[in-house]
Amino acid sequence: QVQLVESGGGLVQAGGSLRLSCAASLSLFSIETMAWYRQAPGSQRELVASITRGSSTNYADSVKGRFTISRDNGKKTVYLQMNSLKPDDTAVYYCNRVRAPLNWGRGTQVTVSS
């Protein structure tokens, strides 16, 4: 069974940084477009950033210039470097593939205090 395991979240002050990791037990990880999503309390899950097999990236307007998505195909891991964090970034962060999303992992909680 394919698993997505997110890690790296925590509590940080506004302006701080965190680096999230997502390990995916996908046999064809290297060809998949992967993405990070987040869900704040009372809100729908939203796409934060995506990265193609060729490492082309796309970001939500709210995180452009602050977040960077990257991948390591050898480790089957996708990362999200988050800088200049804001309280509005507080959410549970998840990763998944964009094509035919898999069962969601547990996510990792990011809390940004003001």
Side-chain angles (χ1 to χ4, degrees), residues 61-80:
D61 287 343
S62 59
V63 306
K64 279 182 182 176
R66 300 188 298 121
F67 290 10
T68 303
I69 189 172
S70 60
R71 66 192 298 160
D72 184 331
N73 290 334
K75 295 182 179 179
K76 296 186 178 181
T77 299
V78 61
Y79 303 97
L80 187 67

Side-chain angles (χ1 to χ4, degrees), residues 37-65:
Y37 302 80
R38 66 185 181 187
Q39 186 168 20
S43 299
Q44 290 189 330
R45 188 173 288 146
E46 63 173 348
L47 177 68
V48 174
S50 63
I51 185 166
T52 68
R53 59 189 292 180
S55 293
S56 294
T57 58
N58 193 37
Y59 298 92
D61 287 343
S62 59
V63 306
K64 279 182 182 176

Side-chain angles (χ1 to χ4, degrees), residues 25-42:
S25 61
L26 279 167
S27 59
L28 298 177
F29 175 87
S30 64
I31 69 170
E32 298 284 1
T33 294
M34 298 296 295
W36 281 97
Y37 302 80
R38 66 185 181 187
Q39 186 168 20

Side-chain angles (χ1 to χ4, degrees), residues 6-11 18-21 82 108-111:
E6 300 92 349
S7 62
L11 173 63
L18 286 172
R19 189 192 193 210
L20 307 183
S21 299
M82 306 187 297
T108 186
Q109 175 71 48
V110 172
T111 303

Side-chain angles (χ1 to χ4, degrees), residues 15-16 22 35 72 85-86:
C22 172
D72 184 331
L85 282 161
K86 304 175 181 179

